[in-house]
Amino acid sequence: MTALAPSPEHINAMAERLRAAGLVAFPTETVYGLGALASDARAVANVFAIKGRPQFNPLIAHVASTEAAFRLGAEDAPLAGLGPRLADAFWPGPLTLVLRRTLESDAVADLAAAGLDTVAVRVPSHPVALALLDAVDAPVVGPSANRSGRVSPTTAEHVVSEFGDAVPVLDGGPCDVGLESTIVGLIGDVPVLLRPGAITREALAEVLGRPVSVGTPTAHPPQPGDGPLAPGQLASHYAPNAAVILDVAPSATHPAYLAFGATEPPTGLVKDCINLSPSGDLSEAASRLYCALRELDATEPDVIAVAPIPHDGLGAAINDRLQRAAAPRTT
Ligand code: TXA
Ligand code: MG
């Protein structure tokens, strides 16, 4: 019974389960999320436990509307107005804003925010996610529904293969975007891109009418005990079992190959080849990336070799995920 059709009855039952501090996996346009009531520290603790996720890595609070999002936090004063501007342009959608946490807000447990005085919020556009959030009528944390450090799920089946019967999954079909949301920090005095995603740095800059820096905001250097500002974003992440090597041409040495674009390996050169997008379309490649990594991994190769993928536009996010998948493993 783990994968459930997203009927109104199932959505209401899953909303009830969330309100009773249970866990529910749900589809979003980016990847599947592992939902828990954000205000309930026990439920949030269960999310960390089942994912094997370090508790210094905070979670995103998902809500059904922009108004609900800005009840949880606001951009710092030097960036006044930029939060609503991004929200108008991109919500509901694959954008997460890191805001200064509203002091009196107990709708997000300290554990969910990893004790930070900031909070990550997102209004997803997937209709099943929105219907679920609407029915719960409270913020729901939603890390990607995979064990920490592994490949994110883009189908209900992927989630079932991660958690089996332990977590019911609302099945909303394959995710359109296929990569986690773009994260923008509105803390300090410059907007900062903390995780690249489908909403590109260029698109953000256009809406904001100013450039967007990348990485750690200079106005808000990490404090001792802060954890990284985009925690979980460095070192090994999104990793299949196989090692991953990037920017390589197909060769007989590497039987598992992830191709991109018109140049296919000659027949018989590699044993298992998946082309992310024969036409060279980056959106298509993003939406197929995690599924392809899982499929190639299932052939149990030592190494998955990956073709060069352009870095422009959505290519920045694809290369970001691939670099982390290829990073030295910490365990
Ligand atoms: O697309 C997505 O964002 C998906 C779907 C399910 O919504 N969720 C997702 O969650 O990717 P997760 O937990 O896998 O990634 C959340 C990222 C982490 O890298 C975390 O460090 C960062 O958001 N984050 C959360 N709160 C933060 C904060 N206050 N400051 C900086 N980074 C934060
Ligand atoms: Mg994740």
Side-chain angles (χ1 to χ4, degrees):
M1 85 104 194
T2 41
L4 302 167
S7 62
E9 292 72 26
H10 285 153
I11 288 173
N12 284 332
M14 292 304 107
E16 203 47 59
R17 186 182 165 95
L18 286 169
R19 278 198 294 263
L23 306 188
V24 173
F26 62 99
T28 83
E29 70 281 16
T30 59
V31 299
Y32 275 70
L34 179 60
L37 199 62
S39 60
D40 191 301
R42 263 178 324 149
V44 173
N46 286 339
V47 168
F48 282 103
I50 195 171
K51 278 183 63 80
R53 175 169 171 131
Q55 296 204 354
F56 58 77
N57 192 1
L59 304 173
I60 298 171
H62 295 68
V63 290
S65 70
T66 298
E67 296 68 38
F70 289 114
R71 282 201 290 271
L72 303 180
E75 67 275 21
D76 276 350
L79 304 174
L82 298 193
R85 203 183 299 173
L86 289 175
D88 277 354
F90 300 118
W91 276 347
L95 176 71
T96 294
L97 295 180
V98 174
L99 303 171
R100 187 72 61 187
R101 221 172 142 188
T102 308
L103 281 179
E104 56 275 19
S105 163
D106 55 4
V108 177
D110 281 343
L111 180 59
L116 299 173
D117 66 351
T118 55
V119 63
V121 291
R122 164 161 131 78
V123 183
S125 64
H126 195 295
V128 175
L130 282 175
L132 180 69
L133 292 169
D134 215 36
V136 176
D137 197 25
V140 170
V141 293
S144 50
N146 53 278
R147 292 182 195 274
S148 189
R150 315 303 298 192
V151 179
S152 301
T154 54
T155 66
E157 292 72 37
H158 293 165
V159 181
V160 172
S161 76
E162 292 283 333
F163 300 123
D165 286 339
V167 183
V169 190
L170 281 169
D171 188 346
C175 301
D176 277 351
V177 175
L179 294 180
E180 299 78 0
S181 58
T182 302
I183 303 182
V184 176
L186 295 176
I187 300 299
D189 49 23
V190 287
V192 178
L193 178 62
L194 295 170
R195 178 172 73 184
I199 294 171
T200 62
R201 192 176 167 201
E202 297 76 20
L204 294 165
E206 191 171 321
V207 165
L208 293 175
R210 57 191 283 178
V212 175
S213 348
V214 174
T216 309
T218 48
H220 182 65
Q223 307 299 313
D226 234 357
L229 275 169
Q233 289 313 300
L234 228 110
S236 174
H237 214 78
Y238 315 109
N241 291 315
V244 175
I245 56 170
L246 305 180
D247 294 330
V248 290
S251 86
T253 333
H254 301 305
Y257 191 69
L258 200 54
F260 175 83
T263 334
E264 295 266 359
T267 318
L269 181 64
V270 297
K271 194 162 122 305
D272 297 293
C273 176
I274 298 180
N275 195 328
L276 290 174
S277 173
S279 68
D281 176 341
L282 290 168
S283 302
E284 181 182 39
S287 72
R288 287 189 181 168
L289 177 66
Y290 290 145
C291 202
L293 283 173
R294 281 173 186 268
E295 268 181 49
L296 284 178
D297 213 25
T299 68
E300 302 190 346
D302 292 333
V303 172
I304 296 172
V306 185
I309 296 177
H311 286 252
D312 59 301
L314 192 46
I318 297 173
N319 280 288
D320 169 76
R321 303 309 191 276
L322 283 170
Q323 273 151 17
R324 292 175 212 289
R329 310 284 162 86
T330 43
T331 50

